[in-house]
Amino acid sequence: QVQLVESGGGVVQPGMSLRLSCAASGFTFSSYAMHWVRQAPGKGLEWVAVISYDGSNKYYADSVKGRFAISRDTSKNTLYLQMNSLRAEDTAVYYCASVPTTAAPDWGQGTLVTVSS
Amino acid sequence: DIQMTQSPSSLSASVGDRVTITCRASQGIDRFLNWYQQKPGKPPKLLIYTTSTLQSGVPSRFSGSGSGTDFTLTISSLQVEDFATYYCQQSYSSLISFGHGTKVDIK
């Protein structure tokens, strides 16, 4: 079955960087666009970024544009989110997700990022 | 970008009640609308995708309907385990977006 396992979260100071990973299995990773979605404590779900199936197209929420970079390594079936210039408001649980248009989405369990001095 | 407006933002209901949550898209999204349930400390759980397809293992008391811009999630007879927050999400655009959530609590 589909498995998405995020890792790389932790506590970082404002202005620092962090890279999240999402290991995918149980489906043809190279055929699907992949997303990062986050949820700040006590808040709703916020889409962060998407990368096309082949990595050729990437789009970002305005709140992270210019600071975050999404990428994928098909040889490792892994999705990444490079987060630079982190701010307190980036504190959230980060989920990776596959959200096909006409099929059931799949989500990971999430990894917590805390930005605090 | 497509904005998703969910209502109500919260509701109180009793076990056995019929509950309806609505979601409106800022533009037509065909039937590319998903519903999630989330409990504290847990990731979102998929209930329904493409408006009305029940995810495997989800009880049949959950149902979804709609098309275009207006969608509905219905719980036919609320159970104790259904007290949670519910989110709609459009997958029409590559830039997916979510409603702000509806918290269902005990009356």
Side-chain angles (χ1 to χ4, degrees), chain A residues 35 37 39 43-47 50 59-60 62 95 99-110, chain B residues 1 32 34 36 38 42-44 46 49-50 55 87 89-100:
Chain A
H35 300 259
V37 175
Q39 187 171 36
K43 303 296 185 181
L45 299 165
E46 178 189 18
W47 171 75
V50 61
Y59 301 98
Y60 300 92
D62 288 344
Y95 299 99
V99 188
T101 302
T102 57
D106 290 289
W107 290 56
Q109 293 295 303
Chain B
D1 297 4
F32 302 129
N34 305 319
Y36 299 88
Q38 189 178 33
K42 299 292 188 182
L46 178 67
Y49 61 100
T50 55
Q55 171 70 338
Y87 295 93
Q89 172 250 312
Q90 63 82 16
S91 56
Y92 178 85
S93 166
S94 296
L95 282 60
I96 63 174
S97 50
F98 298 86
H100 287 103

Side-chain angles (χ1 to χ4, degrees), chain B residues 67-82:
Chain B
S67 68
T69 60
D70 294 315
F71 300 86
T72 298
L73 172 70
T74 300
I75 310 172
S76 60
S77 177
L78 198 67
Q79 301 300 301
V80 169
E81 59 267 31
D82 301 337

Side-chain angles (χ1 to χ4, degrees), chain B residues 5 7 12-13 18 22 25-26 30-31 47 50 52-54 57-60 65 73 81 85 101 105 107:
Chain B
T5 303
S7 61
S12 296
R18 182 181 182 89
T22 64
S26 61
D30 200 332
R31 290 174 58 83
L47 297 175
T50 55
S52 59
T53 305
L54 205 62
V58 174
S60 59
S65 64
L73 172 70
E81 59 267 31
T85 300
D105 62 21
K107 183 184 286 184

Side-chain angles (χ1 to χ4, degrees), chain A residues 2-8 20-25 27 34 36 77-79 94-97 107-111:
Chain A
V2 172
Q3 271 204 309
L4 297 169
V5 180
E6 302 93 338
S7 61
L20 305 183
S21 300
C22 171
S25 61
F27 68 109
M34 294 295 296
W36 286 100
N77 279 2
T78 302
L79 176 72
Y94 285 74
Y95 299 99
C96 67
W107 290 56
Q109 293 295 303
T111 188

Side-chain angles (χ1 to χ4, degrees), chain B residues 14-33:
Chain B
S14 302
V15 172
D17 283 354
R18 182 181 182 89
V19 169
T20 299
I21 298 168
T22 64
C23 185
R24 173 165 288 177
S26 61
Q27 66 181 75
I29 58 170
D30 200 332
R31 290 174 58 83
F32 302 129
L33 190 283

